[in-house]
Amino acid sequence: MTERHAVPSRDAVGGDPVAHRVCDYEGSPYRRAFWEEADRSYEDATERLALRRLLPPRGERVVEIGAGFGRLADEYRGYRQIILLDYARSMLEDAHARLTATQTAAAPDFRFVCADLYRLPFASQSLDVAVQVRVLHHVEDVPRAFAEVSRALRVGGSYVLEYANKRNLKSIARYALGKQAERPFDRRPYEFIELNWNFHPAYVQAALEAAGLEAREALAVSHFRQARLKRRFSPQLLARADALLGRPLAGLALAPSQFVRALRTTGGQPAAGLWRCPRCGAEPLTEREDGVPCTGCGAFWPKVGGIYLFRQDLID
């Protein structure tokens, strides 16, 4: 298990605790314990193949929300600017060290942003694409998170989302055999341990629509997430077989992981810049070499060690 803990998120103005919690991986050995020392080559390969099928291959600006140590960063090489956002500063420090060590003049423009997904520090309609993989299962307030993504996406922009599916085949079988109490057909999110939720596909669909995001494509992913299969067959073989099933079985939603590509279809005029103050909402803000000053409330969001700090608790 990787170490993580829940922290109260803060409201935009007063800094008082609010009703939802944030899953904080600060100081966690997530990269080493979950990916490098465990047998998850198959999961990594299936998620990369899913991204390649759903992600627009090129564009101006892409952000990965909950990017962690930057595992998937090389999948965004078709974009001029790649923004990796995470709540945990230590994860971004890892990503920054790895991804900038051999950076050349022709490399993409990486930005590393420490921020709360409920208050994205991006101006309205400033993003071409938002990606979120292995994150939604830690999100307590899904409607609010989706609303923020929708606000920051330009009209026609894509939201590529992965979520843990509670209505998967294994859960249905376990429920039928009396081995689990949670009903897989109940549309309400299920928190099986603290800050870990599984979601019904219909719930995710409704929440996307409420946020002004229209689902266009779906993939079912990780059909073969079983230890005995991973011991017997290579990760690449299993991932290719998984990809063949992704679209035909997407509507059945029986795999433990589901990918969706949604579009923002309506909206007004985009902002002229990238940054927005997460404290007061002023936008767009002009960046300086040492950070981003807010012209609305006077806050200053510093850039330290190559990482933009947009969390109030880190600058107080």
Side-chain angles (χ1 to χ4, degrees):
M1 291 291 291
T2 57
E3 297 175 3
R4 59 181 183 268
H5 59 280
V7 297
S9 187
R10 306 274 174 183
D11 70 23
V13 178
D16 297 324
V18 293
H20 61 270
R21 298 158 290 162
V22 172
C23 190
D24 187 3
Y25 273 77
E26 186 66 34
S28 167
Y30 176 70
R31 173 186 171 190
R32 172 179 54 79
F34 193 85
W35 291 103
E36 296 178 349
E37 295 180 355
D39 180 20
R40 290 195 169 85
S41 298
Y42 161 67
E43 287 84 352
D44 179 68
T46 59
E47 289 165 7
R48 290 178 182 275
L49 289 176
L51 274 180
R52 291 168 194 172
R53 297 180 78 173
L54 295 179
L55 187 72
R58 61 188 59 84
E60 179 69 13
R61 182 179 287 145
V62 60
V63 61
E64 184 182 354
I65 300 169
F69 62 91
R71 174 176 66 97
L72 298 172
D74 56 335
E75 299 296 332
Y76 313 130
R77 295 287 178 172
Y79 289 79
R80 185 191 67 80
Q81 189 174 85
I82 301 170
I83 303 172
L84 302 183
L85 181 145
D86 204 274
Y87 191 83
R89 182 176 180 177
S90 61
M91 294 287 229
L92 292 168
E93 290 170 342
D94 186 355
H96 182 272
R98 291 190 317 107
L99 295 170
T100 61
T102 58
Q103 196 166 14
T104 65
D109 176 16
F110 277 106
R111 303 289 180 95
F112 303 88
V113 178
C114 188
D116 185 339
L117 60 77
Y118 294 115
R119 285 172 298 280
L120 296 175
F122 308 123
S124 300
Q125 296 196 53
S126 61
L127 306 175
D128 293 291
V129 176
V131 178
Q132 204 169 4
V133 178
R134 290 185 176 266
V135 173
L136 199 69
H137 64 283
H138 290 318
V139 176
E140 183 169 43
D141 192 341
V142 169
R144 182 173 178 179
F146 283 178
E148 267 295 89
V149 171
S150 181
R151 178 193 61 74
L153 277 177
R154 65 169 175 81
V155 176
S158 293
Y159 181 29
V160 180
L161 169 73
E162 181 274 339
Y163 65 91
N165 173 30
K166 70 181 292 184
R167 204 191 66 182
N168 65 75
L169 185 60
K170 181 178 178 180
S171 291
I172 293 172
R174 286 177 57 82
Y175 179 74
L177 295 171
K179 293 185 177 181
Q180 75 173 47
E182 172 63 19
R183 293 181 64 250
F185 304 107
D186 188 331
R187 295 192 177 191
R188 292 171 296 182
Y190 173 53
E191 188 177 16
F192 55 96
I193 59 175
E194 186 184 16
L195 280 174
N196 281 263
W197 283 270
N198 287 335
F199 298 96
H200 192 285
Y203 171 86
V204 174
Q205 172 83 14
L208 287 170
E209 291 177 358
L213 296 162
E214 182 180 311
R216 292 292 183 88
E217 296 182 81
L219 292 175
V221 174
S222 287
H223 295 85
F224 307 117
R225 193 186 293 172
Q226 299 178 30
R228 66 179 184 275
L229 291 176
K230 294 196 290 183
R231 286 194 298 267
R232 186 171 181 181
F233 301 102
S234 73
Q236 293 74 25
L237 178 63
L238 288 176
R240 288 195 295 269
D242 193 84
L244 291 174
L245 298 173
R247 279 205 172 96
L249 298 185
L252 297 177
L254 296 176
S257 178
Q258 291 286 117
F259 273 73
V260 176
R261 183 176 71 89
L263 296 184
R264 181 178 177 183
T265 56
T266 61
Q269 292 297 314
L274 172 61
W275 302 114
R276 170 188 174 99
C277 180
R279 181 178 174 188
C280 73
E283 62 174 56
L285 304 180
T286 301
E287 177 181 345
R288 297 191 331 211
E289 185 175 350
D290 58 345
V292 182
C294 177
T295 54
C297 65
F300 181 72
W301 308 100
K303 183 180 180 183
V304 181
I307 299 170
Y308 296 86
L309 302 181
F310 280 98
R311 279 175 46 194
Q312 186 71 48
D313 60 304
L314 293 181
I315 67 172
D316 285 343

